[in-house]
Structure formats: C-alpha cells, structure tokens
Amino acid sequence: EAEVAQSPRYKITEKSQAVAFWCDPISGHATLYWYRQILGQGPELLVQFQDESVVDDSQLPKDRFSAERLKGVDSTLKIQPAELGDSAMYLCASLRPHTGELFFGEGSRLTVL
Amino acid sequence: QQQVKQSPQSLIVQKGGISIINCAYENTAFDYFPWYQQFPGKGPALLIAIRPDVSEKKEGRFTISFNKSAKQFSLHIMDSQPGDSATYFCAASRGGTSGSRLTFGEGTQLTVNP
C-alpha cells in the first residue's frame, strides 16, 4: 500500500542551526499537511497545501519556519534558526480525495540541543 | 483554545476487557470526527471515523458513539488485546471531506495487560 514518505527520520541539531524536512505524499493526493507533535500531545497543524498553494498557514511561526511545495507533489519544511522549543516530531500527511481521511508519514523527530 | 478535550490521559485494562476513551468538543460546526491510533515512533493511523448524522459506528472491535446534543463522542474497544496498546487521539474538523484542519485531542495512552 502506498505510504507518505518522510526524511530524515531523526535529526539532532544545535540551536540557531537550520534544519529541513522532506515529505512525499501518496500519489494523487493534492492536499498535504505538516503537523508538529510535541511529546505527550496531539498533533498541531502548521501548514496545509492544496497542490502548490498554501491553504492555511495561520499556525506557522513565519519568522523561523517556511514550507514549500513548488511542483505540487513533494514538500519541504524548513526551520531557521532552530530553537530549543522546536524539539518535536514533525509529521507530514496527505488527504485521500473526497473522504477526509488523512494518511500520516512516520515523522521526522527533531532534537535541538 | 483547546477545542477538543480527551480523557482519560492514560488507561490500563486487562486483556479481553473494554477500553473506553471520551472526547468533548466545543465547535458546533465540526462535522467529521475521526479516531487515530499511534504506536511509538510511528505516525498516527486512521482507525475509525463518524459524521454527526449517525449516533454509532462499528468496525470490528472498534465502536464510536456520538452524542451531538452533548457534543461528545467516545471510542469503545471491545475484547481489548495487548496489540491494542498504543496512544489514541480523537480529532474533529468541519467540512471533513474537503480536508479542512483537523483539531486533535491530547491523546490517551492505552495499555492492555496480558
């Protein structure tokens, strides 16, 4: 079965460094999401794309976070500079059309030292 | 503002028992209520979902009960198994099939003892 691919699975960085996460959604899924999940909490939406366009980035800390999906397929989430509080799991998800069903990748675990 | 409140935070049941997790929501515009299961180190996986036009939905050992007037919904896991041990998240959105933002509860860590 097709899956949402994410990389890297784990990233350790020092604060003030730049980090980037990559996501490849399930083929044919036009809607893509980036969520952040702090340990012990539920995922929180950072940004939603419809094809290459941003639909909702109201919760994205735009001073340090950026996201793009240039060709409407894979997507990159960047953090620059990373802060200690950014330590979390960054989850990518794509939406099966007309169902409301989100399929999540395995996530990218970020640790900021 | 926490729009979806989930309880309990953790739950321990014996194999074969019934696990019950509850969620309450505030936004009456929500019209799609999924439950996700998450194992350590993995992303959440859709378990079962309900829309407010029905009061109950059952899939195998998993049942969602929905009370629109009380703005509450719950997940029941019948004949709980050790393999069900995971974190469960309720969620809610409006215009669910269109992919609008899902708001998640804070999760319930379920442990099923053998």
Side-chain angles (χ1 to χ4, degrees):
Chain A
E1 185 176 2
E3 296 181 343
V4 176
Q6 288 190 248
S7 67
R9 289 293 315 278
Y10 305 94
K11 177 70 176 179
I12 300 174
T13 191
E14 294 185 346
K15 65 179 182 178
S16 78
Q17 297 298 303
V19 295
F21 304 110
W22 176 81
C23 171
D24 190 13
I26 294 171
S27 178
H29 288 193
T31 308
L32 180 149
Y33 310 81
W34 284 100
Y35 280 85
R36 176 170 61 185
Q37 185 177 25
I38 295 170
L39 193 63
Q41 298 183 17
E44 294 181 319
L45 181 69
L46 291 173
V47 61
Q48 177 183 348
F49 288 92
Q50 180 68 31
D51 298 309
E52 69 278 8
S53 301
V54 173
V55 173
D56 184 353
D57 65 354
S58 58
Q59 301 302 308
L60 188 71
K62 299 181 188 64
D63 56 335
R64 298 185 300 108
F65 286 65
S66 64
E68 61 183 15
R69 194 183 182 199
L70 294 177
K71 297 183 179 179
V73 181
D74 59 335
S75 176
T76 301
L77 177 70
K78 297 179 181 177
I79 308 173
Q80 183 174 15
E83 296 182 352
L84 296 177
D86 296 331
S87 294
M89 175 80 85
Y90 290 84
L91 293 162
C92 180
S94 64
L95 176 72
R96 175 182 284 170
H98 313 300
T99 66
E101 296 177 12
L102 257 60
F103 292 84
F104 284 86
E106 295 201 326
S108 294
R109 167 73 65 188
L110 173 65
T111 301
V112 182
L113 302 176
Chain B
Q1 180 186 7
Q2 186 181 357
Q3 296 194 54
V4 180
K5 295 183 179 180
Q6 185 172 346
S7 63
Q9 191 172 23
S10 63
L11 180 63
I12 300 174
V13 301
Q14 293 299 119
K15 178 181 176 182
I18 302 173
S19 304
I20 302 174
I21 305 171
N22 300 298
C23 279
Y25 63 96
E26 299 171 2
N27 189 342
T28 55
F30 286 151
D31 61 1
Y32 176 67
F33 303 90
W35 285 89
Y36 282 80
Q37 179 188 57
Q38 186 175 29
F39 293 104
K42 302 290 187 180
L46 179 66
L47 193 59
I48 187 172
I50 197 168
R51 301 189 190 281
D53 52 342
V54 296
S55 60
E56 185 174 283
K57 182 175 181 180
K58 183 176 181 179
E59 290 184 1
R61 296 184 294 109
F62 302 92
T63 299
I64 299 179
S65 297
F66 184 80
N67 186 329
K68 188 174 181 178
S69 61
K71 295 188 287 185
Q72 295 175 347
F73 58 110
S74 60
L75 175 69
H76 296 233
I77 306 174
M78 311 299 287
D79 187 26
S80 298
Q81 300 296 312
D84 297 330
S85 297
T87 301
Y88 293 80
F89 293 95
C90 62
S93 69
R94 54 184 176 139
T97 57
S98 69
S100 63
R101 163 206 303 245
L102 265 179
T103 299
F104 284 84
E106 295 209 329
T108 296
Q109 187 167 353
L110 172 65
T111 301
V112 181
N113 289 328

